[in-house]
Every structure is written in C-alpha cells, then in structure tokens.
Amino acid sequence: MELTLSTSPAKLTLDPACQPELTLRLNLTKLTLDPARQPELSLSPRLAELTLESTCHPEMSLSPGPAELTLDPQHQAKEIPVPKLAELTLEPVHCRPELLSACADLINDQWPRSRASRLHSLGQSSDAFPLCLMLLSPQPTPGAAPIVVGHARLSRVLDHPHSLLVETVVVARALRGRGFGRRLMEGLETFARARGFRRLHLTTHDQIYFYAHLGYQLGEPVQGLVFTNRRLPTTVLRAFSKPPCPQPPCKGPILAAQVVPKSSKGLHLPPPPPLPQSLTTPLPPSPEPLPQNQLETRHRDLKGCPIFWMEKDI
C-alpha cells in the first residue's frame, strides 16, 4: 500500500498491522503517528534528520528525498553521558596497566606519535618518577573499565628537590571547556603535596590565562629529570643539563699585533687587511632581557616557537 501526501497534514494515524510505504511530497515538515500504536516520527523539511522515540518500531523506509533511508532501532548509537566532576579519580598509569592503550590513544589524539613509542614512554611511569597520572571516569555500566578523560606527567626537577615539572597535560576533546582541565590540575596539586613537594613548574604556548586563573605565575626555566638514580651523582646530571661553555671572545689588540711575515728573498709582503670593526672594538654590553609577560617571552622551544614558563607554590 502506498500513501501519497500532497498537503501539510497535522496528524496521520496508521494501522500497526499494515505498515505502508510513505512517499512524502511538497512541503511536509512533520509527520506524527498515534503514540498509543506507533512511536513519534519527526522529519525535518529536507528529510535530513529522523528521530525515533521508541525502540519497538519495525524497520521503516522513506522515499523520495534520500534514495532510501533505513533505520534499525536496535542498532542506534547510545550517547555516553558526561561524567560528573565529583566521580573523577586520579590514578598512576602503572597501577592500571589495562588502561595503558586507552591513555596512549588520548595523548596521540592531541600530539600524534608512534603508538609503540607512546606506549613505551607510558610504560616507564613509576613511583620514583617520571610518573604518569590519568584522570578517570567510571563507566555507566557496572563492572566496566573506567574511561580515561585526562592525562599529565610529573618529573623531578634538577637542583629543586621539592619541585615537580608538569608535562603532557591533555583532556579528551569532547570534554574540554567543562571544568575537567581544572579538576586535573587540582588533582595534580593534591597528589604532589601529599608526597612532600611544594612547587609545580610547567610550560605552555597558548594556555597562559587558563593557568593564571589557577594561580600560576610566570617563572624561569627549569631542567626536568627524565630518570633518577641514587648512584648517579647530581653533579653529573647538572653538567649534562647545561650547554657547553662558550669560547672566550677574541681580543682585538692581540690579533692586531701580529708579526708581518717576510718572504725568503727578504722582500716585505703587503700588510694584511685591517681587522673587522667587531674584532677591533669591544662589544657593547648586551641589554637586560625583557621581562616575561602575557604578550612576549624570550624563551623558545626546539622548533623556535615562543614558550612561557610558569610555576606555582602548592
């Protein structure tokens, strides 16, 4: 049976025992079926959206518009509810090895990298630092594994025994702007404070105001320790963390007072050309570095992009 609608009906009730094929024409904007017998079916003007309010309706095909649109209510995707901030927990990744893969996917979604390399890096997490922490949300289904919604890495800081460097801070894209980043940073402070640390350091390119609202202030660069070993003296780590000492500047008078060589026949060679101005005159003192503020910084990362160092006493 085929039913053709040429006007804009307000309501149409069909016999559930006989499911017809509906052909919609002209300016049909909404088709409502009797809720006692059939679920409500809402159609946008161009048949671009189809909403079913029941899971007991049989398969239905609509034409024309789309060539064919088939919906199976049993296979419709279920929307995952947004987790509550009070239900979130912070746990080390090495304590939940079953979540290692999900944590790697979360980080790689923000900073793509070899999956094997990412898993190896996360696998180095330990209580001796570096330590990777996950922000977890319980699954709505009882007994299911929690969802990884955030991550951050903590490392020891050279010459600062009571400080930690915060790196790789990331929150799932679908949950950003809802307070999960703040919850993650507050959890890091509680975690670090409980272990005797008193200051956190971090770097950022474009999240200056976010961290400023959390109490962070602009600071100086620090050196994070990738690994710690009690048998390795700190002086060795300090030596490798500093750039090599620059060569002392050349002194103009010494270079100018050179002995003019003579040829084997006793003839004087022409005098050498004068030294460049930069070598004969002392270099002017370098100006004081500009103070770091919200608009400019003298620090750069390995790619040459501006980077802001920030710190907070906890």
Side-chain angles (χ1 to χ4, degrees), residues 202-235:
L202 56 84
T203 61
T204 182
H205 293 283
D206 54 358
Q207 298 296 325
I208 306 171
Y209 298 104
F210 168 74
Y211 291 114
H213 289 163
L214 297 179
Y216 284 81
Q217 298 178 351
L218 295 169
E220 294 298 324
V222 296
Q223 177 67 45
L225 298 178
V226 179
F227 67 96
T228 56
N229 191 333
R230 296 181 179 179
R231 297 182 180 180
L232 189 62
T234 306
T235 54

Side-chain angles (χ1 to χ4, degrees), residues 296-309:
E296 61 183 8
T297 175
R298 66 179 182 271
H299 304 299
R300 298 289 186 273
D301 61 9
L302 296 178
K303 297 181 180 180
C305 300
I307 186 172
F308 294 87
W309 284 89

Side-chain angles (χ1 to χ4, degrees), residues 23-64:
T23 301
L24 307 179
R25 301 175 182 175
L26 298 180
N27 190 22
L28 176 63
T29 59
K30 186 172 182 180
L31 177 64
T32 304
L33 304 180
D34 187 357
R37 300 182 179 181
Q38 299 290 340
E40 182 175 353
L41 176 66
S42 301
L43 303 177
S44 64
R46 297 184 179 180
L47 300 181
E49 181 179 358
L50 179 64
T51 304
L52 290 178
E53 297 184 358
S54 175
T55 57
C56 61
H57 201 282
E59 182 175 340
M60 182 177 296
S61 300
L62 302 176
S63 62

Side-chain angles (χ1 to χ4, degrees), residues 110-123:
Q110 179 69 25
W111 300 291
R113 181 179 171 185
S114 166
R115 182 176 179 82
S117 176
R118 184 69 69 186
L119 291 173
H120 175 75
S121 178
L122 290 172

